[in-house]
């Protein structure tokens, strides 16, 4: 059973940086692709960033390219999302997800989800 726990969210000012973490409890963490999604009020959940099992393949939504960086540490069974130069539009609940795939970017690819962590960006 997968147990994913996000942390690192909070209230930040536009232009600031923060890092989200997602810790997994499964020993086979390295066999799963990982990703971050987010959902803003009144909007559909959207893909933010994804990383393959090995960390070689990485995908980003156009809206975060150049600002966000996804990484993983399989030894620590943790995936990170470094968020730089945050914007008001980044305000959302951020979810960590795991997929029994080499690589994934669609919600339907992912079978395990964390509870989410709130990121609120103020002006």
């Amino acid at each position: 059973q997968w147990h994913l726990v996000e942390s690192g969210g909070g209230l930040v000012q536009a232009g600031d940086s923060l890092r989200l973490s997602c810790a997994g409890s499964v020993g086979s963490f390295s066999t799963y692709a990982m990703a971050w999604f987010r959902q803003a009020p009144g909007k559909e959940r959207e893909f933010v960033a994804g990383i393959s099992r090995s960390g070689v393949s990485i995908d980003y939504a156009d809206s975060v390219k150049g600002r966000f960086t996804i990484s993983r540490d399989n030894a620590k069974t943790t995936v990170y999302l470094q968020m730089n130069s945050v914007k008001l539009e980044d305000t959302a609940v951020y979810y960590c997800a795991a997929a029994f795939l080499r690589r994934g970017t669609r919600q339907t690819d992912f079978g395990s989800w964390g509870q989410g962590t709130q990121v609120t960006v103020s002006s």
Side-chain angles (χ1 to χ4, degrees):
Q1 296 182 353
W2 280 99
H3 181 62
L4 303 174
V5 180
E6 302 97 336
S7 62
L11 177 64
V12 296
Q13 294 185 19
D16 285 355
S17 297
L18 74 165
R19 187 177 73 166
L20 306 184
S21 298
C22 172
S25 62
V26 179
S28 58
F29 181 82
S30 62
T31 67
Y32 287 78
M34 303 295 296
W36 289 95
F37 290 77
R38 68 185 181 187
Q39 186 168 20
K43 295 186 177 181
E44 298 291 327
R45 186 173 298 185
E46 65 176 349
F47 173 81
V48 176
I51 187 166
S52 65
R53 293 172 174 176
S54 66
V56 172
S57 299
I58 295 176
D59 300 287
Y60 294 105
D62 288 341
S63 60
V64 306
K65 286 182 178 178
R67 299 189 298 117
F68 292 6
T69 302
I70 188 172
S71 62
R72 67 190 295 163
D73 187 334
N74 288 342
K76 295 182 179 180
T77 65
T78 301
V79 63
Y80 306 95
L81 184 68
Q82 179 66 44
M83 304 169 63
N84 296 331
S85 302
V86 296
K87 303 176 180 179
L88 294 177
E89 305 93 277
D90 295 322
T91 295
V93 177
Y94 284 72
Y95 298 91
C96 174
F100 189 60
L101 296 167
R102 180 184 65 82
R103 186 179 184 179
T105 58
R106 302 175 297 180
Q107 288 192 64
T108 53
D109 291 334
F110 296 85
S112 298
W113 296 79
Q115 294 299 306
T117 185
Q118 176 72 48
V119 174
T120 302
V121 182
S122 64
S123 61

